[in-house]
Structure formats: C-alpha cells, structure tokens
C-alpha cells in the first residue's frame, strides 16, 4: 500500500488566512484596528507567537500596518497590496467576483498584444544578429499550437493555451510582464472549469493561434500584436457580457 505523507497544518497560516479573508472581504474596513496580540491569541485559541507571525505575513502582503507599541491597522489593500491577492479576490468560496474577473480580462486583453509584439520584436532582432538562439522556444510555441488543435476538451485546451502564452512570454523576455502573468494565471487557473463554456470559442480557435505563432516566428511585431488582439478580443467581450448579466 502506498502511503501519502500527512501535511502538518500551520497555525499561523490559519490565522493569516482568517484575517486576510476578512480584510479582503470588507469585514475589516481600511483604517480599523485589530485587537492586541494577546486578545487575538485568546479569541483564536492560539499562541501569541503564532499571531505575531501571521501579522508579519499580513503586513508583508500589504493588508495591515504593524508598528511596535501601536495597534495594528487595516490598510486599503487596493493601494497597498500587490497582485498576489488577486486569486483570493477572484474566488470567494466557489463564487467568482464579477468585478475582479472583469479587471483580469481587461488586463489580459491589454497585455497580451504587447507581449506578442515584444516576442516578435525579439525574434526579429535575433534574426538580424544572425543567431538561432530562439529556435527551440519557437518550436515549443508551435508544438503547443499543434497540441491545442488536437485536443477536444475545453478545459484541457485552456491549460494548453496557458502554456502557449508561457512560451510567448519566454520569447518576449520581459520580467515585468512575466511576474504580472504569473499572478494573473494564479488567479485565473482556479476558475478554469467555471470559465470553460465561454472560453471554448477562444481556445478552440486553432487558426487564430496559428496566425499568432506565425507572426511571432516571422518577427513581425505589429502583425503579432494584431493577431493577439484578434485572438483575445472576442472571448473577452463575451466573458464581460456574461459577467454583466450575472
């Protein structure tokens, strides 16, 4: 019999999750103060070190401000937190937050064409410099398109499409877009099953993916940007309409 290792729960992690959920959910409003470490420890039935560690994590996430000798203050996460809170904001339990989903879709439509443009530009510069250093990544890009075309399941197609964009990002070689994409993907992946019915038209559009891959391979930035816009635009519009009707 194969045994599965038991994962030890983190008490401070549980405290962090509980407080973070209340901050992001609005139960703890910006500007309000948390009880003292001692009071929180008593209320939650945990040790003060566990509370202290959780508060430090909350401060690092931009959700609270912790100052020695002063009360811990809840921050306005919209101004102080980073993209890492997006997954928590998108899914509340099993429910998608329409406003957050809309913002992610808008960011995707805005960033995708620019990333494709940068990828094609880098390919063009590499070719002008007489190097084939990007050949392997371009091959992976086209392999992902072939896999996408061969796949019929919309959920699996979405996962392959994410890998396609991962290759585009490698070609673009932009750390800023890479980090933004990582956070957007982390927010998007838990909702793949819920989004599958609407995303099927996009991820099932093999010709559009082929056009985009061809434009990048040709080192044509403007064409790549336009191809990305043509690929992402229809599903984004459909999703936003669906969210508006939710």
């Amino acid at each position: 019999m194969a045994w599965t290792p038991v994962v030890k729960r983190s008490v401070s992690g549980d405290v962090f999750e509980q407080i973070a959920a209340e901050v992001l959910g609005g139960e703890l409003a910006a500007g309000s103060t948390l009880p003292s470490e001692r009071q929180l420890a008593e209320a939650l039935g945990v040790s003060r070190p566990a509370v202290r560690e959780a508060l430090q994590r909350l401060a690092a996430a931009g959700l609270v401000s912790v100052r020695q000798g002063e009360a811990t203050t809840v921050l306005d996460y919209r101004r102080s937190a980073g993209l890492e809170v997006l997954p928590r904001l998108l899914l509340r339990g099993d429910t998608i937050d329409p406003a957050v989903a809309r913002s992610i879709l808008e960011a995707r439509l805005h960033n995708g064409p620019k990333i494709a443009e940068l990828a094609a530009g880098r390919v063009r510069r590499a070719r002008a410099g007489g190097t084939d250093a990007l050949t392997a990544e371009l091959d992976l890009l086209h392999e992902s398109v072939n896999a996408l075309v061969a796949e019929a399941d919309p959920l699996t197609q979405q996962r392959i499409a994410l890998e396609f964009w991962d290759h585009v990002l490698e070609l673009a070689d932009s750390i800023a877009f890479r980090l933004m994409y990582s956070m957007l993907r982390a927010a998007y992946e838990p909702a793949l099953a819920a989004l599958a019915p609407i995303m099927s038209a996009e991820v099932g559009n093999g010709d559009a993916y082929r056009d985009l891959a061809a434009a990048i391979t040709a080192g044509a930035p403007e064409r790549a940007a336009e191809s990305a816009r043509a690929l992402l635009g229809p599903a984004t519009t459909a999703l936003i309409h669906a969210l508006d009707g939710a």
Side-chain angles (χ1 to χ4, degrees), residues 3-28:
W3 296 96
T4 302
V6 175
V7 179
K8 184 178 180 181
R9 291 178 63 85
S10 166
V11 175
S12 65
D14 288 347
V15 175
F16 170 86
E17 292 294 341
Q18 186 172 157
I19 298 176
E22 294 191 0
V23 172
L24 296 173
E27 288 84 0
L28 288 171

Side-chain angles (χ1 to χ4, degrees), residues 220-241:
E222 292 184 4
R223 178 181 151 202
E226 186 54 39
S227 294
R229 203 169 288 111
L231 169 64
L232 299 173
T236 301
T237 301
L239 280 165
I240 289 176
H241 283 165

Side-chain angles (χ1 to χ4, degrees), residues 18-104:
Q18 186 172 157
I19 298 176
E22 294 191 0
V23 172
L24 296 173
E27 288 84 0
L28 288 171
S32 63
T33 58
L34 297 182
S36 67
E37 284 184 9
R38 178 181 59 78
Q39 291 170 324
L40 280 172
E42 291 175 355
L44 297 170
V46 299
S47 67
R48 289 185 65 177
V51 170
R52 189 174 303 118
E53 182 179 340
L55 292 177
Q56 290 171 348
R57 285 185 59 193
L58 289 161
L63 301 181
V64 303
S65 174
V66 179
R67 294 184 179 180
Q68 188 67 31
E70 297 182 16
T72 299
T73 304
V74 177
L75 299 176
D76 182 348
Y77 68 84
R78 297 171 301 172
R79 293 178 170 82
S80 57
L83 286 171
E84 65 272 11
V85 303
L86 266 180
R88 300 172 187 277
L89 291 171
L90 178 63
L91 280 177
R92 308 293 178 90
D94 295 325
T95 304
I96 294 176
D97 186 308
V100 178
R102 173 190 281 273
S103 69
I104 292 174

